[in-house]
Amino acid sequence: MKLRLFLCFLFIASLMLSGCEYSHEITDMAYVVALGLDKAEDGVRVSFQFARPLSIGGGEQQGGGASSEGGEDEGAAKNKNTTVLSISADSFYTARAIAENSLSKAINLSHTKLLLFSEELAKEGISEHIRLFMKSSQFSPNTYVAVSLCPAEEYMKTAAPSLEINPAKYYTLIFAQQNSDYMPEATLRDVYFDLSAPGSEPVLPVTNLVQEKEGESKEAERGDYEAGEVDKGGENKTDVSGMATISMGKLSAVLSSEDSVSYHLLSGKLKEHYLSIPSPSEEGKHITLRLTQDSMPKHRVEEKEQKLSISSKLFLSAELVECPKKDIDALGTDGIKTLAEGHLKEQIREFMKATQQECRADVIGFGRIFKMKFPDYPAWEAYHWQEKYQTADFSPEVTLRISRVGLILEG
Amino acid sequence: MGIFRKILDFHTTDEGYILKERDRPPTSGARPDAEVVSDINENYEEIKRRMSYPDSGDLIIRWFCAQIFGEARDAFIFYFDGLSSRDNIGHFVLGPLMQVGATLPQSCDEITYVSRQLITQNDCLVSETYEPAIENVCFGGCGICIDGIPRVYVADVKGWEKRGVAKPMTEGTVLGPQEGFGELIRMNTALLRKTIKDANFVIENAFVGKKSKTPCAVMYIKDLANQSLIDEVKRRIERVDVDYLFTAEELENFLEDSNLRLVPQIFSTERVDRAAMELSDGNVVVMVNGSPFALVMPATFFTFMKTPDNRYMRLPYANLLQLIRYLALAISVLLPGFFIVVMQYHHEMIPTDLLYALEASFEVTPFSTLIELVVLEISFELIREAEIKFPSIGGPSIGIVGALILGQAAVSANVVSPIIIIIVAFTAVGSLSTPNYNLGITFRLMKFVYIFAAAFAGFLGFTVCLFLHLAMLASTKSYGVRFLSPLAPRTREGFFRTFFVTRNEKRSGKPDYNNSQKDPEEHVGRRARKGGARRGK
Amino acid sequence: MENRIITFGRFEAASIFIHALIVKVLLGLPQLLCAQAGSAAWMIALISGIVFLVLVWLILALYRRYEGKNLLQIAEEAGGKVLKWGIGLVLLLPLLFKGGITLRLSAETLNLITPYRLPTVLTAVLVGVAMVVAAYRGIETVARLHALLVPVILLALLLVVFASFGSIRFDNLFPFWGLGKDKVFAESFGAISMYTDLLYLFLLYPYVKSRHTFSRAMKTGAVVAVVVQLVLVLCYVLTTQYPESGELFMPIYQVSRIIRLGDNSQSIEAIFYPIWILSSLLYLSLSLTFAMELSGELTHTKYQKLFILPYAGLMFLVGYLPESVLSAMRLSSSLAPLLSVLTMLLPTLILVFARFGRRKTNET
């Protein structure tokens, strides 16, 4: 009996030692939805976008706009679901400490959905920042990462989701790349692993503010445009499109949405893409095919006489969704297939050329396939894959199968 | 003078009744082994003295003339009004003694003549001493003294008012028999005997309480139950050292391994079929007169979690319901603590959408999560107790009042958050779904420990508390059987047969944790036939 | 068989053995192996596992004649009380040292992976109190707890492995020889030092029913532990890339962090917290309980529970000697070869001596 009492006392006393000091109610925390990093004069400008749960949970207002403290309310004053606080400091944690000091609540980063680097900062290098966030137990490795062509702070203040009130849901849905292939999906974990290992380089989606041009607005030609180039109208004046390639930890190039499609085709991540080819028979008309991936592409990387040769075979299946009658009569499905295959081959070749010359980054990960030929890691490191890749010969092959023609039988 | 007396009386403090020091009880000089004498008047005086006649108003002593071998002799009967059946006394005691004795020829000595030829009641005790006779009369018998015969006869003419076989009040099932035990021990043993119908079914009589001499029955199936278990049960019953004991629940406290353990170590049931199942598993059942609950020993955690439904329902549904019960138990003890962990320490576990909704609801309430949860849990316990105690007419309105006031009004007034109500409701439903009331209470109380452990140290405190709770459960024993048998220690039955309901043909018949005896030709598991691991404790 | 109180059976003994061997995997073994061999870390796990299994089979064969005896009793038979005390101390010191280091590491790692920061000492105190309470309950209770919780822990780890299937990339296994063939083989044989918890095999016998039961339990435990270890190391190698795989702290926790189950899944790694806490509690209570039992046997006292609090204090002292968690890990790694000699080689030699040395003495 005495022993039991003693053991009970031990347990209760040890529990009491903490005194509830380390607990935090959820109402004591400020939850960061998105984190933006811009280049500052002597360090980094960190922008924290906090959610306002009372507005979100109450569901009173639509959209997830932002208003900054002391900043301008720019059309987004109609909704107050988030607020942006920006601090310039020499490092991220200094900025965080200053921000916490000026807030009534403690900053909680465990629900951060987006990590946004500005173009300027990305050009200087993102490796150290990525390592910093991966080291923190608060950050989830599944946080999305992106590059912003405009200052990250501006993007966060302007982003105004029109179909949902929860900003976290908005970022999750947009950056999960569920509905289109015009931008890649990049999480913190993917970027972290791809940055350090030779044999692949990370790609990030690109965000920008919409450039409103007076007079005519640019049309997205065959869907090929960079982020912010196309004025799509609507309340949301931000755009997410295209991809940024990272080479040796630094932003090397920004590619268009069409390049992003090529990236998905080569890496086997294509979900669904509407390929639009100008009609050879009728000017101003288009042949449109809905492409899906039949099976994973087969890549072969060989070295012949000190030169790398990369060949890729893509297996695609298409549905003919739009085609002028003249093209059907003139070409038939076989002709359309050949036309599409040629078009895709050309597109992929251009993309590969861009990655070799402009980006200088193996974004597809051909190096991961080639490293299997090496017996051990030192031998692989000594090969200097990065340099060899830039002079490699690339030969794509596209096998397209027009499996459906829609509800109207033609061709 | 009268006025002065009144003034004096006015100033005198009347202290009312003063409890005097305990007097030594007057010695009646009665020896327990005093023998009955032939002289009826002496017997009469002795009976009066021992049974406090005429102070005990319900003791009836009736004089009559008994015909013994054609000779009229003085005699009297004594019985308690209300305990004995008057009809049976008239037909089977007085009638034959007064009338029949006149005509029957003498066939044996007069002592035997009375008990074998005159008293026609089914059971008749012939006592040489006063004590056993008086005990039987106190239990509904009718005592008979006849002049010249140094014996007291007691005819079993019990006839008090009793509750019939009714539905069990605390253990309801959808399928299966709906018979429950009553307060009368003989009725209960009869119900069991007609269910089991096994000649090896033994019902041993015992008495507890030095003065109350409450009858109880120790029941087991002779060729199944472990003999050392039976001996241990009987030893503990004999060791009970109290003057008065009236119910099985009181006896349970004496028969348990330790009263201070948080979990009960004896299973009690009101159902006849459940008691019969436990007997057929090789367990021992004890019943006490005056209580409708049968005590089953040994009892493990899985004994408490099983219900008779397991055998009556079809296999998939029985397993599904069994899973739900385990889930209910886990929810009843772990959910509030886990809620505190998530709300106060591990916010990253909450989905972001839900987090915003929760924060919006908590923002307007004045108290912390811990305070709200503890206050509501305590309130719910109060409502539950009130509902049990309140008469059945008013009972349901307590629930309505509680739900209205605590639920709706508190939320509307922004005193508590709606999510707390949901958590408390889930916890309550979980504890109500626990099959056994005693076990359910244990876990209901433990949840407060989890709540505070979680509040002080988050997941660490919660898990440490869980670890210690499991350690406590693992070290608890019930008549030598570990409480978590046959899971830990693992016996031949294994995990699946313990947790789930198995097909009838796969069941090996008896559990092996209680080391019950087995017929070697009976169907046993394949591994046992191959001479696998010995049965373990 | 000797007349002993039989307290637990095959399942409990196997659970104890499995858990004692896999705790180090949860602590950081995959990361250590990746740092040593890169993408060929799984090969080290496989080769050292096979060597370990051979050693277990050999030990069980040597044990055949000593049914129901622990190593102390065998040592006493072979070399008298002096050898018994020597072996007793040799087994006691690693128990206390490993217990202390694990106490420190578990407190520190728990603090690192949780978003709130309880003081490490408080975490260690709570864990320490739980292990003291479990030790007071006795070896039977600790064994039952293992029987209850080890399947749960293994199931949770299996869930983590299955859930991480979406993140697996088979090219992470290449280059095939990792950091080089020589390194792989050299490290493989050195890696046998991670099986120092083999010492529990020498202490469990008196509590298990029979030779047959003990043998089956230890063989099952050894095979399951090696398989679990291999699967976890393989999972880690497949989901991470070298060189990062050699740097990540708490590798299995890191694997659970990168699990994605849809877009709205939030922090599946929360499953890891209770698993890790329970695992540490089981291991520490086992160490303390066996230290107590060992001391009771050495001193022939029935008041062996008096050793619990002093040993717990000693474990705290040992655990908090290193300055930081990194120095604690380094200390543990640097002493691993010595510990493996004390806990694996020396007991095996004692068994060989007792088995063959005695026979020669009897013959002469």
Side-chain angles (χ1 to χ4, degrees):
Chain A
M1 178 61 195
K2 281 185 191 164
L3 178 65
R4 281 199 198 117
L5 278 174
F6 167 69
L7 295 175
C8 278
F9 166 75
L10 255 188
F11 174 57
I12 293 168
S14 57
L15 268 185
M16 298 281 190
L17 282 173
S18 75
C20 282
E21 196 186 319
Y22 303 95
S23 68
H24 295 282
E25 296 282 331
I26 54 172
T27 48
D28 297 342
M29 310 296 270
Y31 294 98
V32 174
V33 180
L35 202 62
L37 289 123
D38 292 303
K39 187 163 159 46
E41 271 183 30
D42 289 320
V44 66
R45 184 168 174 79
V46 182
S47 303
F48 300 90
Q49 188 174 23
F50 299 104
R52 280 189 164 143
L54 272 173
S55 307
I56 300 167
E60 289 165 7
Q61 290 155 9
Q62 289 285 318
S67 64
S68 65
E69 289 193 3
E72 298 168 3
D73 292 338
E74 207 181 4
K78 59 178 185 282
N79 52 59
K80 298 182 179 60
N81 291 349
T82 60
T83 181
V84 178
L85 177 66
S86 300
I87 308 279
S88 296
D90 54 359
S91 74
F92 170 76
Y93 281 106
T94 313
R96 184 197 165 149
I98 298 169
E100 229 164 15
N101 191 45
S102 57
L103 285 176
S104 54
K105 301 187 178 191
I107 292 179
N108 188 309
L109 293 166
S110 55
H111 288 267
T112 309
K113 301 296 176 196
L114 175 67
L115 183 57
L116 194 59
F117 293 99
S118 69
E119 188 186 5
E120 242 184 324
L121 188 70
K123 279 181 180 162
E124 283 194 354
I126 61 170
S127 304
E128 290 311 314
H129 297 288
I130 296 292
R131 283 179 72 83
L132 183 151
F133 292 121
M134 275 298 283
K135 263 168 115 55
S136 164
S137 61
Q138 272 207 355
F139 252 97
S140 166
N142 294 318
T143 306
Y144 295 108
V145 185
V147 165
S148 176
L149 297 180
C150 63
E153 188 183 344
E154 292 288 323
Y155 174 81
M156 281 154 61
K157 283 180 186 171
T158 316
S162 49
L163 297 176
E164 52 272 304
I165 52 169
N166 185 348
K169 198 172 178 84
Y170 168 71
Y171 288 132
T172 307
L173 291 175
I174 283 258
F175 288 96
Q177 188 248 316
Q178 279 181 343
N179 304 319
S180 86
D181 293 296
Y182 280 171
M183 47 168 263
E185 183 189 349
T187 59
L188 187 61
R189 167 184 72 103
D190 298 332
V191 176
Y192 172 70
F193 284 121
D194 285 340
L195 269 176
S196 51
S200 65
E201 297 282 6
V203 291
L204 306 176
V206 178
T207 70
N208 200 359
L209 297 179
V210 170
Q211 314 300 318
E212 285 170 330
K213 296 180 178 43
E214 287 178 13
E216 50 185 75
S217 64
K218 179 177 169 170
E219 282 179 6
E221 203 179 288
R222 298 187 331 227
D224 184 14
Y225 63 100
E226 287 188 7
E229 279 184 345
V230 175
D231 184 5
K232 294 172 285 191
E235 295 169 353
N236 197 353
K237 298 297 176 193
T238 60
D239 189 18
V240 184
S241 167
M243 55 193 249
T245 58
I246 306 290
S247 174
M248 312 294 275
K250 296 178 184 173
L251 174 72
S252 54
V254 174
L255 302 177
S256 69
S257 53
E258 193 178 76
D259 293 319
S260 183
V261 173
S262 307
Y263 164 77
H264 284 112
L265 280 167
L266 280 170
S267 54
K269 294 178 189 169
L270 187 83
K271 290 195 175 77
E272 181 186 84
H273 174 61
Y274 287 93
L275 177 68
S276 204
I277 308 167
S279 166
S281 312
E282 286 190 56
E283 202 177 309
K285 296 271 167 76
H286 291 88
I287 300 172
T288 308
L289 294 157
R290 185 179 147 268
L291 297 177
T292 50
Q293 208 128 27
D294 246 353
S295 60
M296 290 295 282
K298 288 191 170 60
H299 302 297
R300 184 178 262 182
V301 185
E302 282 164 343
E303 195 178 20
K304 286 175 189 161
E305 295 159 3
Q306 301 286 320
K307 201 164 165 64
L308 273 175
S309 159
I310 304 172
S311 62
S312 296
K313 284 188 190 163
L314 275 69
F315 303 95
L316 302 171
S317 135
E319 181 182 346
L320 187 63
V321 294
E322 182 195 3
C323 188
K325 197 112 179 46
K326 276 188 183 170
D327 289 317
I328 293 279
D329 297 334
L331 301 169
T333 47
D334 288 338
I336 293 169
K337 171 176 136 43
T338 313
L339 187 66
E341 280 174 355
H343 178 88
L344 282 168
K345 254 193 240 178
E346 195 48 45
Q347 181 183 315
I348 290 167
R349 228 181 246 122
E350 278 179 27
F351 167 72
M352 284 303 297
K353 203 167 139 191
T355 62
Q356 286 172 303
Q357 292 168 5
E358 217 178 305
C359 310
R360 299 181 309 280
D362 171 18
V363 299
I364 303 300
F366 294 115
R368 289 169 152 264
I369 301 163
F370 194 59
K371 80 175 174 185
M372 292 191 200
K373 296 184 193 293
F374 291 82
D376 52 43
Y377 196 77
W380 165 241
E381 263 191 321
Y383 185 74
H384 300 298
W385 164 259
Q386 201 68 2
E387 291 158 17
K388 296 275 171 68
Y389 172 76
Q390 290 169 28
T391 55
D393 289 330
F394 182 69
S395 49
E397 251 182 68
V398 177
T399 308
L400 184 74
R401 186 173 62 92
I402 297 185
S403 54
R404 285 181 289 269
V405 294
L407 288 175
I408 297 173
L409 290 172
E410 44 193 11
Chain B
M1 280 310 280
I3 298 172
F4 286 120
R5 171 79 40 96
K6 279 187 184 162
I7 292 168
L8 279 173
D9 283 342
F10 182 78
H11 286 93
T12 307
T13 330
D14 182 7
E15 290 182 4
Y17 168 68
I18 299 168
L19 185 65
K20 292 181 189 169
E21 279 195 20
R22 189 170 57 181
D23 290 337
R24 195 177 295 190
T27 49
S28 60
R31 288 181 295 116
D33 56 350
E35 288 184 353
V36 181
V37 298
S38 299
D39 184 13
I40 192 157
N41 292 313
E42 265 190 60
N43 288 335
Y44 177 62
E45 291 305 322
E46 190 63 27
I47 295 294
K48 270 173 47 177
R49 193 169 45 242
R50 282 171 183 263
M51 299 187 77
S52 308
Y53 183 80
D55 292 336
S56 280
D58 60 337
L59 179 68
I60 309 294
I61 301 182
R62 198 264 205 220
W63 287 90
F64 64 99
C65 278
Q67 296 287 334
I68 308 293
F69 305 137
E71 183 194 341
R73 294 198 200 174
D74 286 335
F76 66 88
I77 57 170
F78 57 103
Y79 64 93
F80 282 106
D81 188 21
L83 272 188
S84 308
S85 165
R86 293 177 189 176
D87 286 342
N88 285 353
I89 292 173
H91 289 132
F92 304 116
V93 176
L94 287 176
L97 282 170
M98 284 173 161
Q99 296 162 2
V100 176
T103 55
L104 283 179
Q106 179 175 356
S107 54
C108 48
D109 63 284
E110 55 187 18
I111 295 169
T112 319
Y113 176 72
V114 171
S115 64
R116 288 197 187 183
Q117 289 200 247
L118 291 185
I119 298 175
T120 53
Q121 185 61 2
N122 57 304
D123 192 15
C124 180
L125 170 75
V126 183
S127 178
E128 292 178 15
T129 55
Y130 293 104
E131 201 60 33
I134 289 169
E135 278 175 23
N136 273 273
V137 170
C138 289
F139 202 49
C142 173
I144 306 128
C145 283
I146 302 174
D147 189 24
I149 299 177
R151 297 284 187 272
V152 178
Y153 298 93
V154 183
D156 181 12
V157 288
K158 291 187 187 72
W160 58 70
E161 295 301 319
K162 62 183 183 297
R163 190 161 60 99
V165 178
K167 275 179 88 162
M169 289 190 3
T170 58
E171 291 166 80
T173 55
V174 175
L175 303 173
Q178 303 297 329
E179 279 181 334
F181 290 121
E183 277 74 17
L184 188 58
I185 193 169
R186 209 35 90 208
M187 181 180 84
N188 296 336
T189 56
L191 284 169
L192 273 173
R193 186 153 312 264
K194 66 106 173 149
T195 308
I196 292 178
K197 297 186 283 294
D198 186 349
N200 290 314
F201 177 43
V202 175
I203 302 175
E204 286 190 29
N205 290 334
F207 295 92
V208 284
K210 287 190 289 206
K211 294 204 175 149
S212 66
K213 299 263 192 276
T214 311
C216 65
V218 178
M219 297 178 275
Y220 54 89
I221 298 179
K222 197 165 62 175
D223 59 347
L224 280 184
N226 188 305
Q227 189 57 44
S228 68
L229 170 67
I230 300 166
D231 295 339
E232 177 62 20
V233 171
K234 290 199 283 196
R235 188 187 72 81
R236 291 193 192 186
I237 290 175
E238 278 159 26
R239 234 182 36 180
V240 173
D241 185 23
V242 285
D243 287 338
Y244 295 96
L245 190 140
F246 303 114
T247 59
E249 290 75 14
E250 285 177 69
L251 183 63
E252 190 181 339
N253 290 330
F254 289 99
L255 298 184
E256 272 188 334
D257 283 56
S258 165
N259 288 345
L260 298 172
R261 291 275 178 173
L262 287 173
V263 286
Q265 294 122 64
I266 294 177
F267 175 68
S268 60
T269 178
E270 217 184 339
R271 294 183 66 93
V272 176
D273 55 341
R274 186 65 199 271
M277 281 178 200
E278 295 298 331
L279 281 164
S280 68
D281 281 344
N283 295 323
V284 175
V285 170
V286 173
M287 292 206 72
V288 177
N289 187 68
S291 176
F293 285 93
L295 305 177
V296 179
M297 54 277 278
T300 66
F301 172 75
F302 300 98
T303 314
F304 290 96
M305 290 304 292
K306 281 191 296 194
T307 65
D309 271 336
N310 288 0
R311 293 206 195 176
Y312 303 145
M313 292 192 94
R314 298 190 66 238
L315 200 64
Y317 310 124
N319 277 310
L320 183 65
L321 288 178
Q322 188 69 7
L323 269 175
I324 288 174
R325 282 182 216 116
Y326 287 122
L327 185 66
L329 188 71
I331 286 174
S332 72
V333 70
L334 297 177
L335 182 64
F338 184 73
F339 179 72
I340 293 288
V341 164
V342 166
M343 292 298 287
Q344 293 199 328
Y345 289 89
H346 288 272
H347 306 154
E348 75 279 4
M349 288 171 70
I350 311 173
T352 313
D353 298 346
L354 181 61
L355 177 72
Y356 295 154
L358 287 175
E359 198 183 332
S361 74
F362 274 97
E363 194 78 54
V364 295
T365 57
F367 302 111
S368 71
T369 319
L370 175 66
I371 304 285
E372 285 181 30
L373 186 66
V374 170
V375 165
L376 274 182
E377 287 286 355
I378 291 173
S379 310
F380 177 75
E381 296 298 330
L382 291 172
I383 292 173
R384 212 139 95 156
E385 282 307 302
E387 207 164 353
I388 293 171
K389 306 288 186 291
F390 214 74
S392 56
I393 293 171
S397 52
I398 295 282
I400 296 166
V401 162
L404 278 174
I405 292 178
L406 287 176
Q408 190 57 41
V411 170
S412 303
N414 285 333
V415 174
V416 295
S417 166
I419 189 73
I420 300 277
I421 306 287
I422 295 170
I423 296 295
V424 171
F426 257 117
T427 311
V429 166
S431 72
L432 289 168
S433 304
T434 309
N436 184 266
Y437 180 73
N438 284 335
L439 192 73
I441 278 197
T442 305
F443 284 86
R444 260 165 65 192
L445 296 175
M446 276 305 294
K447 79 177 169 217
F448 288 101
V449 181
Y450 279 97
I451 288 173
F452 285 109
F456 280 114
F459 231 132
L460 177 66
F462 180 82
T463 314
V464 166
C465 190
L466 177 66
F467 180 79
L468 294 176
H469 191 190
L470 286 172
M472 186 268 296
L473 288 177
S475 62
T476 303
K477 273 186 173 178
S478 168
Y479 284 81
V481 176
R482 291 283 176 184
F483 191 69
L484 293 177
S485 297
L487 199 61
R490 192 65 64 99
T491 61
R492 201 177 58 233
E493 274 191 40
F495 170 75
F496 285 104
R497 285 190 194 173
T498 312
F499 251 80
F500 298 106
V501 183
T502 48
R503 286 185 296 173
N504 288 337
E505 51 268 29
K506 282 230 182 254
R507 225 182 286 142
S508 62
K510 267 71 67 180
D512 51 6
Y513 62 81
N514 59 2
N515 284 349
S516 55
Q517 303 169 55
K518 269 200 176 118
D519 185 343
E521 289 173 8
E522 195 179 21
H523 167 75
V524 290
R526 188 161 46 98
R527 287 167 86 192
R529 271 204 293 270
K530 279 186 179 175
R534 268 173 33 211
R535 274 185 260 123
K537 269 203 216 169
Chain C
M1 194 170 158
E2 269 194 43
N3 197 16
R4 246 180 206 288
I5 298 169
I6 298 166
T7 50
F8 52 85
R10 183 165 69 96
F11 192 86
E12 284 81 10
S15 302
I16 288 174
F17 201 43
I18 293 169
H19 184 259
L21 291 169
I22 66 169
V23 164
K24 60 185 178 310
V25 182
L26 297 176
L27 257 180
L29 181 72
Q31 174 260 322
L32 274 172
L33 296 182
C34 283
Q36 286 169 352
S39 51
W42 63 275
M43 265 192 245
I44 298 183
L46 180 65
I47 296 171
S48 60
I50 292 170
V51 171
F52 171 69
L53 287 174
V54 167
L55 187 62
V56 166
W57 254 256
L58 171 70
I59 291 171
L60 289 172
L62 289 169
Y63 238 119
R64 218 167 267 161
R65 296 179 58 186
Y66 301 104
E67 192 172 358
K69 292 187 184 162
N70 63 20
L71 199 66
L72 267 68
Q73 288 154 342
I74 298 170
E76 190 174 13
E77 270 187 34
K81 281 218 164 96
V82 173
L83 191 60
K84 179 187 177 182
W85 269 89
I87 287 296
L89 288 172
V90 158
L91 293 180
L92 190 62
L93 293 174
L95 271 177
L96 293 174
F97 174 76
K98 283 164 69 66
I101 293 293
T102 308
L103 178 66
R104 175 72 184 275
L105 286 178
S106 61
E108 295 275 1
T109 50
L110 211 58
N111 259 20
L112 269 169
I113 65 178
T114 49
Y116 53 93
R117 291 276 186 264
L118 277 179
T120 337
V121 174
L122 175 64
T123 313
V125 163
L126 265 172
V127 168
V129 163
M131 82 176 173
V132 163
V133 171
Y136 268 111
R137 294 275 103 210
I139 184 71
E140 263 192 273
T141 304
V142 172
R144 313 282 178 236
L145 282 171
H146 275 80
L148 266 177
L149 294 172
V150 169
V152 173
I153 292 171
L154 290 178
L155 190 67
L157 290 174
L158 202 67
L159 281 173
V160 167
V161 168
F162 282 140
S164 67
F165 274 4
S167 314
I168 280 179
R169 295 185 70 152
F170 287 99
D171 49 61
N172 286 339
L173 283 175
F174 296 92
F176 190 74
W177 290 107
L179 293 178
K181 225 184 271 188
D182 302 333
K183 250 195 146 194
V184 167
F185 284 109
E187 297 293 345
S188 293
F189 289 97
I192 192 73
S193 62
M194 61 190 174
Y195 291 101
T196 49
D197 291 299
L198 179 66
L199 78 94
Y200 288 105
L201 187 150
F202 303 107
L203 303 174
L204 275 169
Y205 212 153
Y207 305 103
V208 184
K209 294 173 203 268
S210 67
R211 180 174 64 81
H212 176 70
T213 311
F214 177 71
S215 174
R216 278 186 73 183
M218 293 300 105
K219 285 178 182 167
T220 313
V223 169
V224 171
V226 166
V227 167
V228 167
Q229 191 170 283
L230 183 63
V231 166
L232 290 175
V233 169
L234 208 55
C235 176
Y236 180 68
V237 168
L238 287 170
T239 49
T240 57
Q241 271 193 65
Y242 184 79
E244 266 62 36
S245 56
E247 293 177 353
L248 293 175
F249 191 62
M250 294 285 283
I252 303 302
Y253 169 68
Q254 299 280 6
V255 170
S256 64
R257 275 183 92 201
I258 60 181
I259 292 169
R260 270 184 83 179
L261 297 170
D263 287 324
N264 289 320
S265 67
Q266 193 72 27
S267 296
I268 308 289
E269 74 261 20
I271 197 176
F272 192 79
Y273 302 141
I275 297 303
W276 180 225
I277 299 169
L278 285 172
S279 203
S280 333
L281 288 171
L282 282 176
Y283 185 80
L284 290 167
S285 49
L286 186 75
S287 305
L288 187 59
T289 312
F290 268 110
M292 169 194 80
E293 294 278 330
L294 211 59
S295 308
E297 179 136 7
L298 277 176
T299 52
H300 287 293
T301 174
K302 60 178 180 177
Y303 300 108
Q304 59 200 25
K305 289 193 176 170
L306 286 171
F307 286 106
I308 291 178
L309 284 176
Y311 281 163
L314 209 58
M315 282 162 77
F316 265 92
L317 194 69
V318 166
Y320 275 87
L321 275 176
E323 264 183 28
S324 68
V325 65
L326 278 175
S327 40
M329 288 170 81
R330 273 188 217 120
L331 178 67
S332 176
S333 304
S334 59
L335 286 179
L338 173 65
L339 285 175
S340 59
V341 166
L342 291 178
T343 59
M344 294 158 76
L345 189 61
L346 201 56
T348 313
L349 289 174
I350 296 290
L351 275 174
V352 169
F353 172 68
R355 175 90 193 266
F356 298 108
R358 266 188 69 223
R359 191 188 289 169
K360 279 192 182 157
T361 313
N362 288 344
E363 280 168 4
T364 54

